[in-house]
Amino acid sequence: MADETLRDRVPGEFPRTELLAAAKKIAAIELVKFEPNDFYLGFIGVHDGRNAAFIFVDFWGNENELFHRVFSFPR
């Protein structure tokens, strides 16, 4: 089970591997941009659509605000 990935264990479709890798890179770039009042990563989302792909990075800041950054790519 240690070598199994979520892709192996859960039936259904997953985003392309290269899109997931891009999401990790984008999140890493966005993480270094945080201000002192930000509370780091809230979540990352990846949508591999028919005509476009979307990556979003959300994080908390200013105690109670959720910031949402969206990156889109043509398919």
Side-chain angles (χ1 to χ4, degrees), residues 24-73:
K24 290 177 186 179
K25 287 181 183 177
I26 288 171
I29 291 167
E30 292 301 308
L31 285 173
V32 299
K33 295 180 183 177
F34 286 137
E35 299 294 328
N37 236 10
D38 294 339
F39 296 100
Y40 302 102
L41 185 64
F43 49 92
I44 303 170
V46 178
H47 174 71
D48 198 357
R50 186 174 297 134
N51 298 317
F54 297 92
I55 296 170
F56 58 88
V57 177
D58 290 54
F59 62 94
W60 296 99
N62 301 323
E63 295 186 24
N64 62 354
E65 296 177 34
L66 182 63
F67 293 93
H68 184 70
R69 294 198 176 135
V70 179
F71 305 87
S72 61
F73 310 91

